[in-house]
Structure formats: structure tokens, C-alpha cells
Amino acid sequence: MDHNQIFSRRRIEALIAAGRVIVITEGRVLQLDGWLDKHPGGRLAVLHMVGRDATDEINVYHSHKALQMMNKYRIGLIAGPWVNFTPPIRGGIYRDNTEAAQYIPDDEDGDDAGSSWSSSLESLNSSTTSLDSMTTEDTSHSAMISSHPNKGLDQYSSSVHHDQGTEHRHKSSNAQLNDHQHLSPTDYTSSAVQKAIDNDVRDNPSLDAETQRAITLKYQTLHQRVKDEGFYECHYIEYGKEIIRYILLFSLFLTFLRAEWYLTSACFLGLFWHQIMFTAHDAGHRGITHNFVADTMIGIFIADFCCGLSIGWWKSSHNVHHLVTNHPEHDPDIQNVPLFATCPSFFRSLHSSYYDFTYTWDAFANIAVKYQAYTYYPVMGIARFNLYLLSWLHLLSSRSTNLGCAAWTRPTEIAFMLGYWFLFGYCLLWRSIPTWTLRVAFVLVSHIITMPLHVQITLSHWAMPTADLGDAESFPQRQLRTTMDVDCPAWFDFVHGGLQFQAVHHLFPRVPRHNLRRLQVLVREFCEDTNIEYKIFGFVEGNKQVLGKLGEVAAQVEMMVKCQTYMAATGESGLH
């Protein structure tokens, strides 16, 4: 097989239509079918990149060794800039070509399949000649499909009609919004979602190819500077300081436990969990040793053994979160219906691609979300119990299996988590605490103490935009648009554990957290140069932003209920 052959856009579309996992990176065409179930970061992280130029995502998430390994899966090259398709997992629909689809390699490891594959390629080349000789109108057609998520060839003409009538309908919608309750719930939801999209388009750099390409090139230049100036180098002395803090907190927990000051002991155990999980986060991103096995073992020891939480579940969820940040249908970190909703998209009973589950919007959601600004902190206080459940559901599901070289992590995690529950459940709660009242109180206090960590996790995203601006938006712009940083003095960084630099972290997830404050300076310069807003608030103001967003969506729910009431009273169709 000629790994340097040029693949046209139409040929790649035919391959994806035939079910192949095709990703573009640095001008190379990768076929990742054989790697999909072996990817340590999970299948979904790959599937969200199908049909896209994933150069930036791949480069910032992988080591140099991993990047070299990807050449094994290269089947060709592209010529010139790439216009992204919408990945099938996000609703992208692709034109098939029966003859072209017959000549697709079936080798699982990405190696040459022999002379039969070489001759098949020649047939594929000849069979797609007419397809590749597209006119300007055809090229525009292909670009139009990729820029309209969830629309395929059969919907193209309606998509064009949609675009031509957008301005007229927006004016009409704005007029209707003056009398919201006369809209159907569906129309009201659509208007609210479209308004969010319009606001983000207005407030951010243009989505035209030239502007987004310029942003990408500047980001790649910045990434090279990050590597050249040693931001990826981990200063282990900082983790020495961290370990002293962890030992101190754990020692105080044991001291007060022996003194039978049970609730005071519970406070220090909670603080220990709160602090040590920051290092688990670093290990999950391979930001400590940059070695997969070493960092994974650090993460398993801290998360599974010390805290009872699956680092495998966290990585599976967190990898997707980083790639499709704040996307209602795809980012599991904002899928909290029926207790919380951060945007009106959830009113549509959307389907989660991560959980493969439809969040049904019902009467309970109407009530719960209406009061979500008041229930936010109480729920964050007991959020750790939900993480226990999600951890075990992950480890007992097929999602944690078939991870190739990382297959050993599942049994290791199960063993370490059983060790946690033996020590915490049996040795501590059952053997060391005398009464059921004190046991319940100990559990509640130790878990509620970790509430600031859960607030910190949600703080940088829940107040930020959730609008999907399409596949033309560059990786750095989406990350900065959907993420905010939290301002605090340097001496207070240990309390936030690096999570206060979420915008910086989302741009460079493998940079050790102790380097993020210095890197923040370069990110600010990048934002000024590209005209992308760098959002940063103090901790108190950031909480106000989150509560304000929750209150705003609650008000939208209340208006939607009024729409439902109006539709029921008038007998008009459209009640949902």
C-alpha cells in the first residue's frame, strides 16, 4: 500500500460512509478501525474526531512516542487545508459509493494487507475519478454538509433553504418572543437555543475558514513555544510539598480518630480526599511522569485505593469532556437532568452519546430545574456518593474492557477499590466507630467536606456557553469559549489544586499544574492576539456566574411551562 497516495475529500467520505474510522492529522489520513477498541482513552474520544482534522487535539493529548506510533495507521495524505465533516457520532451523514466501498482494507492492525489491497487501491482510485472531479458547486455542497450537523445529502436542499430564510425567521422569532407563552414549547426551546448560538457568533471571532485557520496556526505556534520553554517539565519538588500536606491531613484524621473525636476526624479525612484528588487529576492527564503506566498507577492508587473512585471512569468521561466541552448531547460533565440543566437544549429530551441514554424531560425536571439555583450547593455536598455509583457502573460495564495495552487497568482498579471499601467500610466505619449514629454522621461529614471540590469542578463550565457553532470552529476557540479561569492569589493555589486554571488546562491538558500559572501569561497574550475573550472571575464572582446561569435556565423552564399551559388551555397543537 502506498502510504503517500493522495486521498480526496470524496474518497474519504466514501470510506466513512462504509463504516471506516478515518481521522486527519497533520495532513495524514489515519484509519483507526483496528485501534478503536485498544485506545486507552476509550472509543468515544476517537469517534468524536472521525472526518475531522484532529491535529491540535491529537498533538496536545499524546506523547511524542504515541504520535510516532500513529504512523502505523496512516493510509495516505490529503492535499491542502481540510474542511471538517460532522462525525457520525454527532449525526453526520455521508454519501456512499458502492464500488468505492468494496475496496477498503480489512486489516485490524493498520499494516499492509498485501498485493490484494494494493490492487484494490488502484480500483478505488479509478472508481472515484469521476467523484473526485467535482465542480465548484460540488465542493460547496460537500462543505455545506459538513457545516450543518445532523444533516445529510437528502437534507442538503432544505439546509440551503434554511440558511436563506434564517434572517427572516430570526426576526419572526424575536417578534414572537415578545409574547412567549403563545409559542409552543418546541418553538420556544428552538428560539432560546438559536438565541444562544447568535450571541456566541456575535461575541467571538468569525467562523470563516481564513479566520479559524489563522487562530489554529497561532495556537500551534504557541504550543511549540510551550514545548520549547519547558512547560511540560514536571518539578517534582512541588509534589514533595503536596505529599507533606497529604501526610499531615491523614495524620490528623488518625489522631482525632484514636482520640474518639469522630466528627473532627471526619473533617480531616474529607480534606485529605479533597487535596489528594488534585494529584489524581494530574496523573489522569499523564502530567506527572508523562509515562502511561507510571501515571496510571499513581492515579489508581490515589483515586481507587485512597478515595474509592475509579480513575478509569474519570478518564473515560473526562477525555470526552475535553474534546466536546459543554456540548449538551455529548459532554457527560453537563448532563445532569433531571436535577440540573445548564441550557434549554435539555428541554428537548436529548440523547447522550456518552451514556447512550435519552434524558427525558418530564414534570419532575420542570420542578427540579426550576429550583436548581437553590439545590446546587446541597447536591454538591453529596455529589461524592454519585461518583461511587458511576465508578462501579463503569468498571462493571464493557466500556472498561478491550483497552489494548491498558487492559490490565480494570482488574487492578477493582482490586484497589475493594481494598478501599475494606479499609473504609469495615476497618474504619464498622470496627472503629462505636454507634450507627456516629457512623452515619462520620460518612456525611467526611463527604460534605469535599463539597468545594465539586463546586470547583463545575465552576469553570456550568456558567459558560453551550452553543454548538459547528465543525468550522477551531479547537482553541471552542475551549476558550466554553471555559473560564478562577482568579486567586498564588499562595492560595493549593486550595484550588490547579483547577482554577481550567482555560489554560483545556488548551494544554498535559502540562503539569504547577506550571499553569506561568503559562497563563502566554494564554492571555494568545487571546489578545486572536481576539478571543479570556474569561476569568474571582471565586465568589464565579459562583455568582454559575448561580446566575442556573437561575436563567430556571426562568426559561418557567416560561416553557407557561407555553405548555397556554397550549393546553387553547387546545392548539404542539404541546409536548
Side-chain angles (χ1 to χ4, degrees), residues 142-328:
S142 188
M144 182 67 73
I145 293 176
S146 68
S147 65
H148 284 78
N150 304 320
K151 294 181 176 69
L153 179 62
D154 58 336
Q155 296 171 294
Y156 169 61
S157 58
S158 62
S159 298
V160 174
H161 179 72
H162 171 89
D163 288 344
Q164 292 172 341
T166 295
E167 183 177 356
H168 173 74
R169 280 200 304 280
H170 286 181
K171 291 179 180 178
S172 175
S173 294
N174 289 336
Q176 287 179 308
L177 286 172
N178 291 327
D179 192 6
H180 289 299
Q181 65 197 39
H182 292 174
L183 292 172
S184 72
T186 301
D187 288 340
Y188 174 73
T189 299
S190 297
S191 296
V193 171
Q194 186 61 53
K195 181 179 179 182
I197 293 174
D198 293 343
N199 289 342
D200 273 13
V201 169
R202 180 197 64 211
D203 296 339
N204 290 276
S206 171
L207 295 173
D208 68 83
E210 183 178 353
T211 300
Q212 292 301 308
R213 192 172 298 122
I215 291 173
T216 295
L217 290 175
K218 290 176 180 178
Y219 171 71
Q220 291 171 354
T221 300
L222 174 61
H223 189 204
Q224 187 60 49
R225 184 179 175 185
V226 167
K227 290 186 285 187
D228 292 342
E229 296 186 12
F231 282 95
Y232 279 110
E233 295 176 8
C234 183
H235 303 291
Y236 293 111
I237 185 66
E238 298 297 335
Y239 282 105
K241 300 175 185 177
E242 299 279 349
I243 292 173
I244 293 173
R245 187 181 307 118
Y246 305 155
I247 292 174
L248 175 62
L249 291 172
F250 196 78
S251 297
L252 289 170
F253 148 66
L254 291 176
T255 299
F256 286 108
L257 180 66
R258 288 176 61 89
E260 298 184 355
W261 289 34
Y262 296 115
L263 299 189
T264 305
S265 173
C267 290
F268 283 106
L269 179 59
L271 291 173
F272 168 76
W273 285 335
H274 173 274
Q275 282 289 300
I276 201 170
M277 277 304 293
F278 293 138
T279 298
H281 176 265
D282 299 346
H285 280 289
R286 300 192 312 281
I288 301 176
T289 70
H290 301 304
N291 176 277
F292 173 77
V293 175
D295 279 347
T296 299
M297 281 306 302
I298 292 172
I300 290 177
F301 174 74
I302 293 175
D304 296 73
F305 185 73
C306 296
C307 301
L309 306 176
S310 166
I311 193 68
W313 159 75
W314 178 86
K315 290 171 70 173
S316 171
S317 170
H318 201 65
N319 287 338
V320 175
H321 160 70
H322 268 265
L323 293 173
V324 284
T325 309
N326 269 21
H327 197 305

Side-chain angles (χ1 to χ4, degrees), residues 431-470:
R431 295 294 303 272
S432 302
I433 300 178
T435 68
W436 275 107
T437 300
L438 284 173
R439 288 168 187 157
V440 172
F442 187 97
V443 169
L444 290 176
V445 170
S446 62
H447 286 61
I448 291 174
I449 285 291
T450 66
M451 181 183 76
L453 174 60
H454 303 291
V455 171
Q456 181 76 63
I457 291 171
T458 60
L459 187 61
S460 294
H461 297 293
W462 280 25
M464 295 297 101
T466 58
D468 178 17
L469 301 189

Side-chain angles (χ1 to χ4, degrees), residues 396-418:
L396 298 178
S397 74
S398 59
R399 195 187 298 273
S400 63
T401 61
N402 302 321
L403 295 178
C405 63
W408 58 271
T409 60
R410 182 175 185 248
T412 306
E413 282 200 78
I414 291 175
F416 276 50
M417 284 184 63
L418 289 175

Side-chain angles (χ1 to χ4, degrees), residues 511-528:
V511 168
R513 66 177 153 107
H514 301 104
N515 296 338
L516 293 178
R517 180 170 286 277
R518 290 191 300 117
L519 182 52
Q520 185 184 51
V521 176
L522 302 187
V523 171
R524 285 179 181 270
E525 293 175 358
F526 170 77
C527 289
E528 291 174 3

Side-chain angles (χ1 to χ4, degrees), residues 507-560:
L507 291 179
F508 305 102
R510 291 187 302 114
V511 168
R513 66 177 153 107
H514 301 104
N515 296 338
L516 293 178
R517 180 170 286 277
R518 290 191 300 117
L519 182 52
Q520 185 184 51
V521 176
L522 302 187
V523 171
R524 285 179 181 270
E525 293 175 358
F526 170 77
C527 289
E528 291 174 3
D529 189 30
T530 57
N531 293 318
I532 301 175
E533 182 182 1
Y534 175 71
K535 306 179 189 72
I536 183 168
F537 299 96
F539 184 75
V540 174
E541 181 59 30
N543 275 264
K544 290 180 180 179
Q545 293 286 325
V546 171
L547 294 177
K549 182 64 172 288
L550 295 177
E552 176 187 336
V553 176
Q556 291 173 327
V557 170
E558 190 171 2
M559 183 58 66
M560 187 182 67

